[in-house]
Amino acid sequence: MTLAPEADESELRAVFEATIERHDRIEPRDWMPEAYRKTVIRQVAQHAHSEIIGMQPEGNWITRAPSLRRKAILLAKVQDEAGHGLYLYSACETLGVSRLELTEMLINGKQKYSSIFNYPTLSYADVGTIGWLVDGAAICNQVPLCRTSYGPYGRSMIRICKEESFHQRQGYELLATMMRGTDEQREMVQESVNRFWWPALMMFGPPDDDSPNTAQSMAWGIKRNTNDDLRQRMVDMTVPQAKALGVTLPDPELRWNEERQSHDFGSPDWDEFKDVITGNGPCNTQRIAHRRRAHEDGAWVREAAMAFAARGAEA
Amino acid sequence: MSHTPDPSHLPDHDSVYDGLLGGDDSQWAFGTDFEDPLAGVDTTVPDGVDTHELATYCLMLADDALVMSHRLSQWCSNAPDLEEDIALANIALDLLGQARLLLARAAAADPSVVPALPAGSPVPPEDALAFFRGDREFRNVRLVETDNGDFAVTIARLLLFSTWRLALLQRLAASRDHVLSAVAIKGVKEMTYHRDYAGRWFLTLARGTEESRRRLIAGLEATWPLRAELFTTHPVELAVAGSGVGVDPSTVADEVDVLLEQVFSMSGVDRPDIAPLAGVRGETGRDGLHTEAFSRLLAEMQVVARAHPMGSW
């Protein structure tokens, strides 16, 4: 919708607020407060970066996949993540920032990505655990975002969530198959779940009383549930799945609370979380160095493509 | 302002969690157990065809695809841009699919080519062949196994490989063996895209910047010595061509040459004048004689599978 140039900011703001109020979408050409634009860019970019950095820990096992069927599944999955990154960078570009700028902000440490990818993948079971727990946690975070207020982001999320839920099932199915295999394979699965359980719960972000951006993001309809709500939902969902799989979750405080009709559970190690998000996790340096190397090594190819296209345009 | 439906009325996607615990296998896209990839296909070997020769020929075609796929998959998360990451993964997936069918065909034609595993091992034949053969038992050409190098080397190799394999599969579509014919018909569509992708990038790099041109020519020169082997006929290839199930690669040499000349001329690149890489005592990739890079590639590819010969994946 076009507005006369003299429309003053308070009118524009009123239209914006009304759109949010109706749970309708904000579209790229609509007026939006600068702070809203910045917040959406921050969140979508962080999500896009997570997809791209997330290719590394799983990509780590493509060349070592223990069966050709698993190799095909894993390669296709990591390729999907590149696709998710692509849609999300495109959604972000509708807000006036280019993929190149975003990539540079990532490799210069000015924008973040999900802390989970700063953990190493140490066995093939991790491919399954990442699918089950990490993609599971990501879906908990992302499903509500299909209804987020910024249109291009919400629409990307619908497709992404469908693919993520597919990945989650593939991960669970890998673990279920391994659990039916040898003792060594069962140990491998349990060991992997032990390492990823707490980091997966940390994916929902800090506890609500320590999450400075939550209130504004919820008011704007960018975020739809608090971190602690989503964390609880993840625990409640996962407990029966773990039981069916035959693995234990490494939390001595985990038990059913009849009164709350929910599970009580322990607290993640928030000191470790702070270490990881401030750059000192097991793989932070490695992940960024990998991304930087790929970006810099590819510069001459991107320049060649631009030069070739420009020459075609002249001809 | 958008006129999309009120998003609060959209279906609740939370339901994706439902059914994760259901006993119904139909929810799994790939099924929950390994299935014979040739299930339902007539795998009878045509009259007059030596089963061991047919199986060995299938291994040659399978190993070319499997090893090339491995190299391409190493670009994952390393490509110059996201579009290229996705495209190279696609090509790797196509070749992996071809390899799986061809390995299964080899095993069905002559089970004696499949390495023996401990009694009761659930490892299916395609995986036994991929993960439990030693380097001397692999029959791929050496072109596909050397390190990726930079993007220009990868593109030059992909151009040489895809023009050759497309020509082979086009002829193989007429194979008397129903399985090989079906694999070839499917593969032709895939290889046509791979060749198109490689050709477009070859031209782009040749006519892009000075640096890209320099790198492309270096990449072409690095891969060229491995090209002659593609058109050298192995006795097994001659035999299966004779019995009407395979293709003698020397018969596609002229056709592939004409195609390459077209790409070179559009790109303003001279055809390299470099001698073919020698073999050892006359043996090359088809005989199981490989480069130093290959056993390292296999060590990586096979490490998990070999640690769990009784494992189910």
mmCIF file of all heavy atoms in Angstrom, chain A residues 152-166:
data_model
loop_
_atom_site.group_PDB
_atom_site.id
_atom_site.type_symbol
_atom_site.label_atom_id
_atom_site.label_comp_id
_atom_site.label_asym_id
_atom_site.label_seq_id
_atom_site.Cartn_x
_atom_site.Cartn_y
_atom_site.Cartn_z
ATOM 1 N N PRO A 152 8.032 -12.238 4.698
ATOM 2 C CA PRO A 152 8.994 -13.123 4.021
ATOM 3 C C PRO A 152 9.635 -14.136 4.974
ATOM 4 O O PRO A 152 9.935 -15.267 4.587
ATOM 5 C CB PRO A 152 10.049 -12.146 3.475
ATOM 6 C CG PRO A 152 9.291 -10.870 3.280
ATOM 7 C CD PRO A 152 8.308 -10.811 4.425
ATOM 8 N N TYR A 153 9.826 -13.724 6.225
ATOM 9 C CA TYR A 153 10.409 -14.640 7.208
ATOM 10 C C TYR A 153 9.413 -15.760 7.529
ATOM 11 O O TYR A 153 9.761 -16.942 7.489
ATOM 12 C CB TYR A 153 10.779 -13.845 8.468
ATOM 13 C CG TYR A 153 11.542 -14.626 9.534
ATOM 14 C CD1 TYR A 153 12.431 -15.642 9.197
ATOM 15 C CD2 TYR A 153 11.397 -14.298 10.876
ATOM 16 C CE1 TYR A 153 13.135 -16.325 10.180
ATOM 17 C CE2 TYR A 153 12.105 -14.975 11.868
ATOM 18 C CZ TYR A 153 12.970 -15.992 11.514
ATOM 19 O OH TYR A 153 13.665 -16.660 12.490
ATOM 20 N N GLY A 154 8.176 -15.389 7.799
ATOM 21 C CA GLY A 154 7.161 -16.380 8.151
ATOM 22 C C GLY A 154 6.962 -17.402 7.040
ATOM 23 O O GLY A 154 6.855 -18.605 7.288
ATOM 24 N N ARG A 155 6.941 -16.908 5.801
ATOM 25 C CA ARG A 155 6.724 -17.840 4.685
ATOM 26 C C ARG A 155 7.930 -18.774 4.489
ATOM 27 O O ARG A 155 7.773 -19.960 4.199
ATOM 28 C CB ARG A 155 6.396 -17.068 3.407
ATOM 29 C CG ARG A 155 4.985 -16.457 3.451
ATOM 30 C CD ARG A 155 4.587 -15.829 2.128
ATOM 31 N NE ARG A 155 5.332 -14.611 1.843
ATOM 32 C CZ ARG A 155 4.983 -13.386 2.264
ATOM 33 N NH1 ARG A 155 3.885 -13.214 2.988
ATOM 34 N NH2 ARG A 155 5.715 -12.335 1.967
ATOM 35 N N SER A 156 9.153 -18.246 4.680
ATOM 36 C CA SER A 156 10.332 -19.136 4.611
ATOM 37 C C SER A 156 10.221 -20.215 5.674
ATOM 38 O O SER A 156 10.564 -21.380 5.441
ATOM 39 C CB SER A 156 11.654 -18.404 4.905
ATOM 40 O OG SER A 156 11.772 -17.240 4.184
ATOM 41 N N MET A 157 9.738 -19.800 6.848
ATOM 42 C CA MET A 157 9.718 -20.741 7.972
ATOM 43 C C MET A 157 8.761 -21.902 7.751
ATOM 44 O O MET A 157 8.982 -22.991 8.264
ATOM 45 C CB MET A 157 9.368 -20.027 9.276
ATOM 46 C CG MET A 157 10.452 -19.105 9.792
ATOM 47 S SD MET A 157 12.099 -19.827 9.705
ATOM 48 C CE MET A 157 11.836 -21.299 10.655
ATOM 49 N N ILE A 158 7.703 -21.672 6.981
ATOM 50 C CA ILE A 158 6.755 -22.774 6.756
ATOM 51 C C ILE A 158 7.463 -23.907 6.025
ATOM 52 O O ILE A 158 7.421 -25.063 6.418
ATOM 53 C CB ILE A 158 5.516 -22.272 5.980
ATOM 54 C CG1 ILE A 158 4.701 -21.340 6.894
ATOM 55 C CG2 ILE A 158 4.663 -23.454 5.507
ATOM 56 C CD1 ILE A 158 3.548 -20.644 6.214
ATOM 57 N N ARG A 159 8.180 -23.537 4.971
ATOM 58 C CA ARG A 159 8.892 -24.573 4.217
ATOM 59 C C ARG A 159 10.026 -25.179 5.045
ATOM 60 O O ARG A 159 10.243 -26.388 5.050
ATOM 61 C CB ARG A 159 9.440 -23.947 2.933
ATOM 62 C CG ARG A 159 10.262 -24.924 2.163
ATOM 63 C CD ARG A 159 10.436 -24.521 0.726
ATOM 64 N NE ARG A 159 11.352 -25.452 0.087
ATOM 65 C CZ ARG A 159 11.718 -25.366 -1.166
ATOM 66 N NH1 ARG A 159 11.248 -24.406 -1.925
ATOM 67 N NH2 ARG A 159 12.549 -26.229 -1.671
ATOM 68 N N ILE A 160 10.744 -24.316 5.743
ATOM 69 C CA ILE A 160 11.879 -24.798 6.529
ATOM 70 C C ILE A 160 11.406 -25.789 7.598
ATOM 71 O O ILE A 160 12.021 -26.842 7.804
ATOM 72 C CB ILE A 160 12.652 -23.606 7.138
ATOM 73 C CG1 ILE A 160 13.390 -22.870 6.014
ATOM 74 C CG2 ILE A 160 13.615 -24.063 8.234
ATOM 75 C CD1 ILE A 160 14.038 -21.570 6.425
ATOM 76 N N CYS A 161 10.304 -25.465 8.251
ATOM 77 C CA CYS A 161 9.818 -26.363 9.308
ATOM 78 C C CYS A 161 9.424 -27.729 8.755
ATOM 79 O O CYS A 161 9.627 -28.751 9.406
ATOM 80 C CB CYS A 161 8.631 -25.745 10.047
ATOM 81 S SG CYS A 161 9.171 -24.469 11.176
ATOM 82 N N LYS A 162 8.857 -27.735 7.561
ATOM 83 C CA LYS A 162 8.503 -29.028 6.971
ATOM 84 C C LYS A 162 9.756 -29.856 6.746
ATOM 85 O O LYS A 162 9.796 -31.049 7.035
ATOM 86 C CB LYS A 162 7.765 -28.834 5.649
ATOM 87 C CG LYS A 162 6.341 -28.363 5.871
ATOM 88 C CD LYS A 162 5.599 -28.200 4.565
ATOM 89 C CE LYS A 162 4.191 -27.688 4.863
ATOM 90 N NZ LYS A 162 3.513 -27.157 3.694
ATOM 91 N N GLU A 163 10.785 -29.207 6.206
ATOM 92 C CA GLU A 163 12.016 -29.963 5.938
ATOM 93 C C GLU A 163 12.698 -30.361 7.243
ATOM 94 O O GLU A 163 13.247 -31.455 7.356
ATOM 95 C CB GLU A 163 12.945 -29.150 5.031
ATOM 96 C CG GLU A 163 12.332 -28.967 3.651
ATOM 97 C CD GLU A 163 13.228 -28.275 2.630
ATOM 98 O OE1 GLU A 163 14.317 -27.779 2.989
ATOM 99 O OE2 GLU A 163 12.831 -28.221 1.460
ATOM 100 N N GLU A 164 12.657 -29.475 8.232
ATOM 101 C CA GLU A 164 13.293 -29.794 9.516
ATOM 102 C C GLU A 164 12.603 -30.984 10.183
ATOM 103 O O GLU A 164 13.256 -31.810 10.824
ATOM 104 C CB GLU A 164 13.260 -28.600 10.475
ATOM 105 C CG GLU A 164 14.154 -27.431 10.072
ATOM 106 C CD GLU A 164 15.649 -27.723 10.153
ATOM 107 O OE1 GLU A 164 16.025 -28.798 10.651
ATOM 108 O OE2 GLU A 164 16.439 -26.884 9.686
ATOM 109 N N SER A 165 11.295 -31.048 10.048
ATOM 110 C CA SER A 165 10.612 -32.150 10.731
ATOM 111 C C SER A 165 10.958 -33.470 10.043
ATOM 112 O O SER A 165 11.090 -34.504 10.680
ATOM 113 C CB SER A 165 9.103 -31.914 10.795
ATOM 114 O OG SER A 165 8.526 -32.135 9.546
ATOM 115 N N PHE A 166 11.181 -33.389 8.758
ATOM 116 C CA PHE A 166 11.652 -34.552 8.002
ATOM 117 C C PHE A 166 13.048 -34.968 8.519
ATOM 118 O O PHE A 166 13.315 -36.133 8.768
ATOM 119 C CB PHE A 166 11.696 -34.118 6.538
ATOM 120 C CG PHE A 166 12.022 -35.179 5.550
ATOM 121 C CD1 PHE A 166 11.127 -36.201 5.289
ATOM 122 C CD2 PHE A 166 13.211 -35.132 4.846
ATOM 123 C CE1 PHE A 166 11.426 -37.165 4.338
ATOM 124 C CE2 PHE A 166 13.510 -36.092 3.899
ATOM 125 C CZ PHE A 166 12.621 -37.111 3.654
#
